[in-house]
């Protein structure tokens, strides 16, 4: 028997597809005719087929469903109605491997040939052209760190503000699904839809540059904000399959995208027998995987340094040890001795092999003033030592960006 085909086609085209598949000379064989998306996904998870033929208007078919089919090893061929071209465009945006037009009489030209080409990894001719790649590819900087409130949001907000001040258009994204508060830190109402709305649009194949720009208002000259979810229990609204196209559009919208992420890297979906279970930490893991540079933030005290050392090892074990800079935040003598910077740097060099750490001195008064007024440090305390440290890091990041093609991998060393 040939490759199993899961058929989730609505209308007269279903019988046409089944007859064409069964007439493929044994190369293809219909193993399940699915009434809806739920049955299709269940059949894919059970390993009943290697190819799915679906109607473009199949109820609840979105990017996450196509991604799940791909994770199950199932390639996707979509059938579109020429009278409703937007459905075909949406299905293409969802990530379908091939989209074919259905004729008025229900005939589907070249469905077998196209299916075999997809299975053989031969790039088939798309009836709907895939979106052109962005003409500009901006850099992505993820700000991450261990649990214990080491100051990830503080660093992300002020680093983004400094990048914008250096003349680089910047997008600040709140991707922390545990305690995202970037909007509040900048004095912006968190009722704005932000990242969740962008992810929903991406899941429906409707996210474009204009939509993302409308969802990300300008909060400072050169700085846009894509606010996060308002409650931690809304984390399922940010699946990895939707965040990837959001970050792709972000690269086209801004020269630098700064992501404020959560702390947890646990891939908890691996503990579940249900392969359709959403990933609790998908936003953080996706941000780190997509980032050109990861800024790892830890608190400059004995507990914070210990957590930072373990977090760096954890990131390395999970294959997230790419280009990164380590930031020791709130450096102060009261918990690190008379020469706190030297002590923290020595500890990180000895236990984590970090030779070049960015030291951000404690400036509680300036930080409190900025938080009270909902502004960045450079606005309320331009002479703050904490602000100067983050401004120097921003200058290093900008220096690592190619002048003519912003967004190649950031070289910071």
């Amino acid at each position: 028997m040939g490759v199993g085909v899961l058929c989730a086609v609505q209308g007269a085209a279903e019988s046409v597809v089944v007859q064409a598949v069964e007439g493929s000379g044994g190369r293809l064989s219909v193993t399940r005719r699915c009434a809806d998306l739920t049955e299709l996904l269940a059949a894919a998870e059970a390993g009943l087929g290697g190819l799915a033929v679906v109607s473009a208007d199949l109820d609840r078919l979105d990017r996450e469903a196509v991604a799940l089919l791909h994770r199950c090893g199932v390639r996707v061929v979509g059938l579109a109605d020429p009278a409703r071209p937007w459905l075909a465009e949406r299905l293409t945006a969802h990530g379908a491997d091939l989209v074919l037009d259905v004729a008025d009489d229900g005939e589907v030209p070249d469905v077998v040939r196209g299916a075999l080409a997809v299975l053989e990894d031969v790039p088939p001719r798309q009836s709907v052209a895939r979106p052109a790649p962005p003409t500009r590819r901006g850099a992505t900087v993820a700000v991450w760190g261990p649990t214990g409130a080491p100051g990830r949001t503080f660093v992300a907000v002020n680093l983004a503000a400094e990048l914008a001040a250096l003349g680089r258009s910047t997008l600040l994204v709140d991707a922390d699904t545990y305690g995202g508060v970037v909007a509040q830190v900048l004095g912006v109402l968190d009722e704005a839809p932000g990242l969740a709305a962008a992810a929903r649009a991406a899941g429906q194949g409707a996210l474009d540059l204009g939509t993302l720009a409308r969802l990300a208002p300008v909060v400072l000259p050169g700085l846009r904000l894509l606010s996060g979810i308002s409650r931690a229990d809304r984390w399922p609204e940010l699946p990895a399959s939707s965040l990837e196209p959001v970050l792709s559009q972000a690269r086209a919208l801004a020269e630098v995208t700064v992501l404020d992420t959560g702390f947890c890297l646990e891939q908890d979906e691996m503990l579940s027998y249900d392969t359709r279970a959403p990933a609790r930490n998908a936003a953080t893991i996706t941000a780190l995987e997509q980032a050109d540079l990861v800024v790892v933030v830890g608190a400059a005290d004995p507990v914070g340094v210990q957590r930072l050392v373990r977090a760096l090892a954890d990131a390395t074990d999970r294959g997230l040890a790419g280009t990164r800079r380590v930031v020791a935040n709130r450096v102060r003598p009261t918990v690190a001795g008379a020469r706190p910077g030297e002590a923290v740097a020595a500890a990180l060099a000895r236990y984590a092999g970090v030779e070049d750490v960015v030291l951000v001195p404690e400036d509680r008064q300036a930080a409190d003033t900025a938080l009270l007024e909902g502004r960045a440090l450079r606005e309320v305390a331009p002479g703050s030592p904490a602000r100067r440290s983050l401004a120097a890091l921003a200058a290093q990041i900008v220096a690592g960006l190619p002048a003519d093609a912003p967004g190649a991998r950031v070289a910071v060393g």
Side-chain angles (χ1 to χ4, degrees):
M1 186 175 67
V3 177
V5 176
L6 307 176
C7 185
V9 179
Q10 300 173 338
E14 180 185 23
S15 60
V16 174
V17 170
V18 171
Q19 292 175 11
V21 168
E22 295 301 335
S24 63
R27 292 173 294 178
L28 302 173
S29 177
V30 175
T31 54
R32 180 64 63 87
R33 299 172 72 168
C34 305
D36 52 29
L37 180 64
T38 301
E39 186 176 357
L40 172 64
L41 296 179
E45 291 168 0
L48 299 182
L51 180 76
V53 181
V54 302
S55 296
D57 57 352
L58 184 64
D59 188 36
R60 296 189 293 128
L61 180 66
D62 57 13
R63 188 178 183 87
E64 180 68 12
V66 174
L68 178 56
L69 290 169
H70 284 161
R71 289 198 297 270
C72 294
V74 178
R75 308 300 292 271
V76 179
V77 174
L79 304 184
D81 180 359
R84 296 184 291 173
W86 60 89
L87 291 177
E89 294 171 1
R90 188 173 68 184
L91 186 55
T92 301
H94 289 339
D97 301 286
L98 175 65
V99 180
L100 298 173
D101 286 335
V102 178
D104 293 338
D105 57 0
E107 291 293 329
V108 186
D110 296 330
V111 63
V112 172
R113 183 185 305 174
L116 292 173
V118 166
L119 291 171
E120 294 172 0
D121 288 328
V122 177
R125 178 183 63 81
Q126 295 282 329
S127 65
V128 179
R130 290 188 180 275
T135 57
R136 183 179 71 180
R137 183 180 183 274
T140 300
V141 178
V143 180
W144 173 75
T147 186
R152 293 182 300 271
T153 299
F154 173 82
V155 171
V157 168
N158 288 286
L159 180 60
E162 296 299 335
L163 289 167
L166 291 173
R168 295 286 180 158
S169 60
T170 305
L171 173 64
L172 176 59
V173 180
D174 189 349
D176 186 349
T177 56
Y178 286 90
V181 291
V182 173
Q184 289 83 351
V185 169
L186 288 175
V188 178
L189 292 177
D190 65 354
E191 285 83 0
L195 183 58
R200 284 194 296 272
Q204 294 298 323
L207 182 66
D208 55 20
L209 200 59
T211 301
L212 184 61
R214 288 193 295 272
L215 294 172
V218 176
V219 293
L220 286 173
L223 176 61
R224 292 178 176 272
L225 171 64
L226 193 62
S227 59
I229 56 177
S230 57
R231 300 190 312 272
D233 60 0
R234 292 180 58 189
W235 63 266
E237 298 180 32
L238 305 178
S241 60
S242 294
L243 287 176
E244 291 174 3
V246 171
L247 296 182
S248 177
Q249 290 291 345
R251 289 178 181 273
L253 180 64
E255 293 177 77
V256 185
T257 299
V258 178
L259 296 154
D260 181 25
T261 70
F263 64 92
C264 190
L265 298 181
E266 182 183 4
Q267 293 178 300
D268 47 283
E269 74 277 12
M270 300 298 292
L271 305 177
S272 173
Y273 290 104
D274 182 3
T275 58
R276 296 175 58 190
R280 176 65 178 87
N281 304 306
T284 297
I285 294 173
T286 301
L288 297 185
E289 290 175 343
Q290 297 286 318
D292 301 298
L293 172 69
V294 178
V295 175
V296 187
V297 182
D301 57 62
V303 174
V305 169
Q306 181 192 51
R307 288 172 171 168
L308 178 57
V309 170
R310 292 177 175 175
L312 289 170
D314 189 26
T316 300
D317 293 342
R318 295 181 182 276
L320 301 173
T323 305
R324 67 188 183 192
R325 288 302 306 272
V326 177
V327 173
N329 190 35
R330 298 186 63 193
V331 179
R332 56 200 189 278
T334 51
V335 292
R339 297 179 177 178
E342 294 180 10
V344 171
L348 290 174
R350 178 178 180 182
Y351 297 110
V354 176
E355 300 294 342
D356 186 18
V357 59
V358 178
L359 301 172
V360 180
E362 167 78 301
D363 191 346
R364 190 71 267 163
Q365 182 176 355
D368 286 349
T369 301
L371 183 60
L372 177 64
E373 298 184 12
R375 302 164 71 187
L377 273 180
R378 65 180 312 273
E379 297 179 283
V380 299
S384 167
R387 183 256 165 174
R388 290 199 299 268
S389 178
L390 293 173
L393 176 58
Q396 292 178 23
I397 293 174
V398 168
L401 296 175
D404 58 342
R409 182 163 293 277
V410 182
V412 182

